[in-house]
Amino acid sequence: MKGKLYGIGVGPGDPELLTLKAKRIIEEADVVAVPVKKPGELSVALEIAKQSAVIPEEKIREIEFTMNKDKAKREACRKKAAGEVMDLLEEGKTIAMLTLGDIGIYSTYAYVHKIIVKAGYDVEMISGIPSFCAGASKANISLTEGNEGLGVIPSLRGIDQVEKALDVFDNLVIMKVGNHVEEVYELLESKGLAENGIVVSNVGMEDEYVGPLLPEREYGYFTTIIVKKEL
Amino acid sequence: MKGKLYGIGVGPGDPELLTLKAKRIIEEADVVAVPVKKPGELSVALEIAKQSAVIPEEKIREIEFTMNKDKAKREACRKKAAGEVMDLLEEGKTIAMLTLGDIGIYSTYAYVHKIIVKAGYDVEMISGIPSFCAGASKANISLTEGNEGLGVIPSLRGIDQVEKALDVFDNLVIMKVGNHVEEVYELLESKGLAENGIVVSNVGMEDEYVGPLLPEREYGYFTTIIVKKEL
């Protein structure tokens, strides 16, 4: 009998935000597949899962997803990754592939999911807590209430797209802000929303910051800005 | 010493989608507060939590949130609810207040959260799996990949708002579609997206439906449509 692949979201960082289902399936799986950029590299998703689930070293299997700038190389690497997973499925293995946050939101897993579904294997996605939900909870605010809308957009998409999204939605999560903070601040200021940005940055790290958007401050890579027109 | 209030998202329905943290805090709490529309009414959030966490009957405390059409009556009821919670906090109780899905997305809890935070009490929000994440997992699709954006909007907001959101985002979750299915279908058709709507309806119930948007079909109240411009 062929195996089954579970794509599993382990949540944004706090090991206790793993779901009961994620913990059970990870512990029951024959193989815990871990996406890495390079072999031997530390996987944050695995480090999180290990703190709440029992994962023997011999079950862990690294799967490489290169971040090479060459699109063809990235695609080839994804095909190879899917092939490795399908080989394990042919052997009848149950595989739990881990991803940070939710399994359906900007996950590396998505790149192999489609290929493996198309090939006809048994696949199930297990949701995890998205980083922006945990970020809002950390900031003690709701993302959306009543009949309000919510937008989620990476700042890499371009500031004009962020502006369009801001015009449509009462609440906007701008992800991966990194070095676009100043641009975002200027946009908010131009809309009279300079005081409506809440920053959630490097949660759980030494330089964690959760508070109002201050343009003169430096923020880390894992920076999310939540804009709420009504605070 | 004063008590502490935890707002807890119990996820969208599957009791195994409770987080380890939600389970622990619910079990440790002195009081499990359950929002209800009327005293004695069944609480779906409580029914979910009970299947994964041990909750003795004597810990359960109903908190009424009326759905009365009169805004003043709703507001008065929310103030009374916050007052009841604050009385318990004054007694030094640890309170876990439950909500379906995530604690920061369309949650009843939000109505008392602000009042109680403003009054200076110790409050913490614990994220849960949002229904739209679980819906996408159920449909075996990603919500958003690469640099794509994601919009979430209740159809009650009006079809013109849904259209605006659709113009800005590659992926759109239309929540609480209920009897607006036809309108949404017509909108998608006019944009050449008739085949890009995926319905997730009444998950876990007898008439569960997960599949393409068929306009001639009847859908239940808990219907979400996920539109993906690129399937």
Side-chain angles (χ1 to χ4, degrees), chain A residues 14 16 21 24 106 148, chain B residues 14 16 21 24 106 148:
Chain A
D14 178 345
E16 260 201 300
K21 197 168 201 168
R24 177 178 62 78
Y106 304 121
E148 294 172 356
Chain B
D14 179 345
E16 260 201 301
K21 197 167 201 168
R24 177 178 62 78
Y106 304 122
E148 294 172 357

Side-chain angles (χ1 to χ4, degrees), chain B residues 93-210:
Chain B
K93 304 284 194 217
T94 300
I95 306 164
M97 186 179 274
L98 309 184
T99 198
L100 257 180
D102 177 44
I103 192 71
I105 295 178
Y106 304 122
S107 86
T108 308
Y109 164 81
Y111 299 126
V112 296
H113 174 83
K114 283 183 193 169
I115 300 172
I116 297 171
V117 167
K118 212 175 267 175
Y121 291 96
D122 191 8
V123 175
E124 190 174 337
M125 295 167 83
I126 309 294
S127 305
I129 304 286
S131 65
F132 56 82
C133 289
S137 289
K138 189 92 193 170
N140 237 347
I141 53 171
S142 287
L143 281 170
T144 182
E145 290 177 41
N147 283 331
E148 294 172 357
L150 168 70
V152 179
I153 194 167
S155 74
L156 291 170
R157 195 61 199 260
I159 200 74
D160 54 321
Q161 287 300 310
V162 174
E163 181 171 5
K164 276 187 192 166
L166 198 58
D167 289 341
V168 173
F169 284 105
D170 310 296
N171 305 287
L172 185 66
V173 176
I174 312 169
M175 297 189 61
K176 305 173 194 169
V177 180
N179 45 18
H180 297 83
V181 171
E182 222 175 286
E183 257 179 307
V184 170
Y185 184 82
E186 279 165 17
L187 171 64
L188 294 185
E189 208 177 22
S190 76
K191 304 264 175 191
L193 294 169
E195 304 193 345
N196 296 53
I198 298 125
V199 174
V200 183
S201 181
N202 287 4
V203 170
M205 302 183 200
E206 224 169 79
D207 56 346
E208 172 177 313
Y209 174 77
V210 179

Side-chain angles (χ1 to χ4, degrees), chain A residues 196-218:
Chain A
N196 296 53
I198 298 125
V199 173
V200 183
S201 182
N202 286 3
V203 170
M205 301 182 200
E206 224 171 76
D207 57 344
E208 171 177 312
Y209 175 77
V210 179
L213 173 57
L214 309 169
E216 67 277 9
R217 209 182 167 284
E218 293 259 327

Side-chain angles (χ1 to χ4, degrees), chain A residues 14-24 52 102-107 109-111 113-114 117 123-130 132-154 156-157 161 164-165 168-170 172 176 230-231, chain B residues 14-24 52 102-107 109-111 113-114 117 123-130 132-154 156-157 161 164-165 168-170 172 176 230-231:
Chain A
D14 178 345
E16 260 201 300
L17 287 183
L18 218 70
T19 65
L20 303 172
K21 197 168 201 168
K23 176 177 158 65
R24 177 178 62 78
S52 284
D102 178 43
I103 191 70
I105 295 178
Y106 304 121
S107 87
Y109 164 82
Y111 298 125
H113 174 82
K114 284 182 193 170
V117 166
V123 176
E124 191 174 336
M125 295 168 83
I126 309 293
S127 305
I129 305 285
F132 56 81
C133 289
S137 290
K138 188 91 193 173
N140 237 347
I141 54 172
S142 288
L143 281 170
T144 183
E145 292 176 40
N147 283 332
E148 294 172 356
L150 168 69
V152 179
I153 195 167
L156 292 169
R157 195 62 200 260
Q161 286 299 310
K164 275 188 192 164
V168 173
F169 285 105
D170 310 297
L172 184 66
K176 307 175 194 168
E230 220 167 298
L231 268 177
Chain B
D14 179 345
E16 260 201 301
L17 286 183
L18 216 72
T19 66
L20 302 173
K21 197 167 201 168
K23 176 177 159 67
R24 177 178 62 78
S52 284
D102 177 44
I103 192 71
I105 295 178
Y106 304 122
S107 86
Y109 164 81
Y111 299 126
H113 174 83
K114 283 183 193 169
V117 167
V123 175
E124 190 174 337
M125 295 167 83
I126 309 294
S127 305
I129 304 286
F132 56 82
C133 289
S137 289
K138 189 92 193 170
N140 237 347
I141 53 171
S142 287
L143 281 170
T144 182
E145 290 177 41
N147 283 331
E148 294 172 357
L150 168 70
V152 179
I153 194 167
L156 291 170
R157 195 61 199 260
Q161 287 300 310
K164 276 187 192 166
V168 173
F169 284 105
D170 310 296
L172 185 66
K176 305 173 194 169
E230 219 166 299
L231 267 178

Side-chain angles (χ1 to χ4, degrees), chain A residues 174-191:
Chain A
I174 312 168
M175 298 189 62
K176 307 175 194 168
V177 180
N179 45 20
H180 297 83
V181 171
E182 223 175 286
E183 259 179 306
V184 171
Y185 183 82
E186 279 165 15
L187 171 65
L188 294 185
E189 208 177 20
S190 76
K191 303 265 176 190

Side-chain angles (χ1 to χ4, degrees), chain A:
Chain A
M1 219 179 105
K2 288 181 186 173
K4 179 166 180 176
L5 171 65
Y6 291 93
I8 297 189
V10 302
D14 178 345
E16 260 201 300
L17 287 183
L18 218 70
T19 65
L20 303 172
K21 197 168 201 168
K23 176 177 158 65
R24 177 178 62 78
I25 293 173
I26 290 168
E27 291 182 344
E28 285 175 2
D30 301 311
V31 177
V32 176
V34 181
V36 292
K37 287 183 206 108
K38 275 181 221 159
E41 205 201 38
L42 185 96
S43 155
V44 180
L46 177 61
E47 292 307 307
I48 292 166
K50 266 183 174 172
Q51 291 175 69
S52 284
V54 179
I55 309 176
E57 284 299 318
E58 62 271 21
K59 271 201 198 175
I60 299 169
R61 169 80 175 255
E62 288 181 347
I63 307 279
E64 190 182 343
F65 288 86
T66 180
M67 298 284 271
N68 199 295
K69 281 185 184 164
D70 182 346
K71 201 183 163 189
K73 282 191 180 152
R74 289 201 307 276
E75 301 258 321
C77 189
R78 288 167 192 170
K79 267 193 192 156
K80 188 169 162 279
E84 284 173 43
V85 172
M86 290 189 285
D87 286 347
L88 291 164
L89 292 171
E90 283 297 325
E91 290 170 27
K93 304 284 194 216
T94 301
I95 306 164
M97 186 179 275
L98 310 184
T99 198
L100 258 180
D102 178 43
I103 191 70
I105 295 178
Y106 304 121
S107 87
T108 308
Y109 164 82
Y111 298 125
V112 297
H113 174 82
K114 284 182 193 170
I115 301 172
I116 298 171
V117 166
K118 213 175 267 177
Y121 291 96
D122 191 8
V123 176
E124 191 174 336
M125 295 168 83
I126 309 293
S127 305
I129 305 285
S131 65
F132 56 81
C133 289
S137 290
K138 188 91 193 173
N140 237 347
I141 54 172
S142 288
L143 281 170
T144 183
E145 292 176 40
N147 283 332
E148 294 172 356
L150 168 69
V152 179
I153 195 167
S155 75
L156 292 169
R157 195 62 200 260
I159 200 73
D160 53 321
Q161 286 299 310
V162 175
E163 181 170 5
K164 275 188 192 164
L166 198 57
D167 288 343
V168 173
F169 285 105
D170 310 297
N171 306 287
L172 184 66
V173 176
I174 312 168
M175 298 189 62
K176 307 175 194 168
V177 180
N179 45 20
H180 297 83
V181 171
E182 223 175 286
E183 259 179 306
V184 171
Y185 183 82
E186 279 165 15
L187 171 65
L188 294 185
E189 208 177 20
S190 76
K191 303 265 176 190
L193 294 169
E195 304 193 342
N196 296 53
I198 298 125
V199 173
V200 183
S201 182
N202 286 3
V203 170
M205 301 182 200
E206 224 171 76
D207 57 344
E208 171 177 312
Y209 175 77
V210 179
L213 173 57
L214 309 169
E216 67 277 9
R217 209 182 167 284
E218 293 259 327
Y219 299 94
Y221 177 75
F222 294 105
T223 295
T224 296
I225 298 177
I226 303 171
V227 184
K228 288 186 74 70
K229 290 189 184 161
E230 220 167 298
L231 268 177

